[in-house]
Amino acid sequence: MGTQRRARGKAAYLNPDLPAERRARDLLSRMTLKEKVAQMLCIWQQKSGTMLDENGDFDPKKAKARFRNRLGLGQVGRPSDAGRGKNAREMAELTNAIQKFFVENSRLKIPVIFHEECLHGLAAVDATSFPQPIGLGATFDPGLVGRVFEATAEEARVRGTHQALTPVVDVARDPRWGRVEETYGEDPHLVARMGIAAVRGFQGDATFRDRKHVIATLKHFAAHGQPESGTNCAPVNVSERLLREVFLSPFKQAIREGGAISVMASYNEIDGVPSHANKWLLRDVLRKEWGFKGYVVSDYYAVRELHERPELFGNHLAADGKEAAALAVRAGVNIELPDRDCYPGIVELVKKGILRESQIDELVAPMLLWKFRLGLFEEPYVDPEAAERVAGCDAHRELALQAARETITLL
């Protein structure tokens, strides 16, 4: 009877027997505005100033001082690069320590998501390195691509990673563009088939019960592969027909057939509208037409760049960072990567009536849902011994060699 009473008295979001959707709704209903906005924030380079010591190890005193408000945090970016770079065991220990802190020191005990770069294998010390996507595209073998990213997902997940900022399903249409090697080539059909295979490799059946898979992130949405003069981040000028038939098609197929859970908006403008402020692109096409139910992440610093990123790049659409945040929220960007910059201003924007709290709820809800579906509330930690055993294992090295052989192309 005592156990039954405790179960009945437990908050619904903490009950693993309830559907993830109900748990997410219950949790959202209990959150303050500040707690909701905290879920839309990430820390990457700010790790050293907020939670790590000089060696890149977790510093509980520093973290308690910085996060004394107990609001929580949405994501932590690339724990593998802490200090001089963490090997598999060290990274698993670090993600465990960070996760433990947020689970125990946030009011609602919401775990964080860790994301990593996984373009051709996990970008981390001792991880298996596979051929670049442009080489994998030349294999014309979706099955091989699926196995490559299934191995990548396992190496990432056992270290504590939950989301891969991959695959790139840009269609490369300007050979001067410096990121062609990140793509599967110039043909939208080939890019789509490889993108679907990569998503399925990363996500598996998307139940995440085996703790060997991670969320895939399609990027860069959209038309990043044909910038003016081949210059990265430059504007893209294409007709809507060309946009849909060439550049949007791989995204649509990777979402509808592959089941991709996350999408990253692109730096570039399309017909003068930056993707991070493009309601038509992120709401009308992605969500309403295609039925996308996942969440959109910003490219690194791209929300700031709606205003200006000093000495680098700016769209000059927003007057300042707060206006940039408002534009991105209205367009449908769920979380700002990689560091807290513009989105902390959302709290003030809501209080002033510039944004509505219901708009924030809409963007936070799917991110909470996937934290439940990833199983993070029940199993937030990983096994450092397993991480060490899987990283760069013989089976993955043999797969990398096979993939390298298959990429060889006679010209």
Side-chain angles (χ1 to χ4, degrees), residues 65-100:
R66 182 58 188 84
F67 297 99
R68 59 183 178 273
N69 53 24
R70 296 174 59 83
L71 297 176
L73 184 67
Q75 293 200 12
V76 174
R78 301 169 70 178
S80 62
D81 68 8
R84 296 183 178 180
K86 298 292 187 184
N87 63 29
R89 174 178 284 274
E90 292 167 341
M91 181 177 158
E93 292 170 346
L94 177 61
T95 57
N96 281 345
I98 295 173
Q99 192 71 279
K100 187 173 189 291

Side-chain angles (χ1 to χ4, degrees), residues 22 30 36 44 101 211-212 234 242 247 261 266 279 288 298 309-310 322 325 327-328 338 355 357 376 382-383 407:
R22 181 178 170 187
R30 298 170 185 272
K36 294 171 185 176
W44 173 42
F101 173 81
R211 305 295 187 263
K212 292 183 178 181
L242 191 63
F247 298 106
I261 293 164
S266 59
K279 294 180 184 178
K288 292 179 182 177
S298 82
R309 190 176 171 194
K322 287 181 181 176
L327 288 169
L355 294 174
E357 189 165 354
L376 301 187
V382 293
D383 180 0
T407 64

Side-chain angles (χ1 to χ4, degrees), residues 231-264:
T231 303
N232 194 46
C233 303
V236 175
N237 294 298
V238 294
S239 67
E240 184 175 342
R241 181 184 66 82
L242 191 63
L243 180 66
R244 286 182 177 273
E245 290 184 359
V246 174
F247 298 106
L248 297 188
S249 178
F251 286 91
K252 181 179 180 180
Q253 294 180 62
I255 289 167
R256 288 192 166 176
E257 294 185 48
I261 293 164
S262 187
V263 169
M264 177 183 283

Side-chain angles (χ1 to χ4, degrees), residues 12-28 372 377-378:
Y13 80 92
L14 294 174
N15 185 348
D17 296 326
L18 294 177
E21 292 81 0
R22 181 178 170 187
R23 298 177 72 185
R25 287 195 302 270
D26 179 71
L27 176 55
L28 187 64
F372 285 111
F377 284 81
E378 284 68 58

Side-chain angles (χ1 to χ4, degrees), residues 182-401:
E182 297 182 26
T183 77
Y184 293 103
E186 64 182 4
D187 181 77
H189 176 71
L190 175 63
V191 172
R193 301 328 296 174
M194 294 303 189
I196 292 167
V199 169
R200 289 173 176 169
F202 276 121
Q203 297 183 173
D205 61 6
T207 63
F208 302 108
R209 294 191 187 98
D210 61 5
R211 305 295 187 263
K212 292 183 178 181
H213 291 87
V214 298
I215 288 173
T217 309
L218 303 178
K219 61 187 197 182
H220 309 82
F221 194 63
H224 199 36
Q226 191 174 313
E228 284 188 0
S229 303
T231 303
N232 194 46
C233 303
V236 175
N237 294 298
V238 294
S239 67
E240 184 175 342
R241 181 184 66 82
L242 191 63
L243 180 66
R244 286 182 177 273
E245 290 184 359
V246 174
F247 298 106
L248 297 188
S249 178
F251 286 91
K252 181 179 180 180
Q253 294 180 62
I255 289 167
R256 288 192 166 176
E257 294 185 48
I261 293 164
S262 187
V263 169
M264 177 183 283
S266 59
Y267 286 120
N268 57 278
E269 303 170 5
I270 300 174
D271 197 20
V273 182
S275 296
H276 287 75
N278 196 327
K279 294 180 184 178
W280 174 81
L281 184 68
L282 301 182
R283 290 191 180 276
D284 294 347
V285 175
L286 179 64
R287 290 179 168 97
K288 292 179 182 177
E289 288 188 25
W290 300 351
F292 178 67
K293 302 297 184 185
Y295 58 93
V296 175
V297 304
S298 82
D299 207 339
Y300 276 24
Y301 306 106
V303 176
R304 163 61 56 186
E305 290 169 358
L306 291 176
H307 168 50
E308 181 182 17
R309 190 176 171 194
E311 300 180 359
L312 187 63
F313 176 74
N315 296 114
H316 304 286
L317 183 66
D320 54 27
K322 287 181 181 176
E323 186 176 351
L327 288 169
V329 166
R330 292 189 189 114
V333 178
N334 300 69
I335 184 170
E336 179 182 22
L337 304 186
D339 280 312
R340 296 168 304 174
D341 187 358
C342 302
Y343 269 24
I346 291 173
V347 174
E348 182 181 338
L349 291 169
V350 172
K351 289 181 177 179
K352 287 184 175 180
I354 297 170
L355 294 174
R356 301 185 308 277
E357 189 165 354
S358 60
Q359 292 175 295
I360 309 310
D361 292 349
E362 177 193 17
L363 296 179
V364 172
M367 296 191 293
L368 296 177
L369 175 64
W370 284 103
K371 287 188 176 185
F372 285 111
R373 287 181 172 170
L374 281 162
L376 301 187
F377 284 81
E378 284 68 58
E379 294 186 43
Y381 310 117
V382 293
D383 180 0
E385 289 188 9
E388 193 171 46
R389 184 171 62 251
V390 171
C393 64
D394 289 345
H396 293 174
R397 290 169 64 87
E398 290 171 6
L399 179 60
L401 178 60

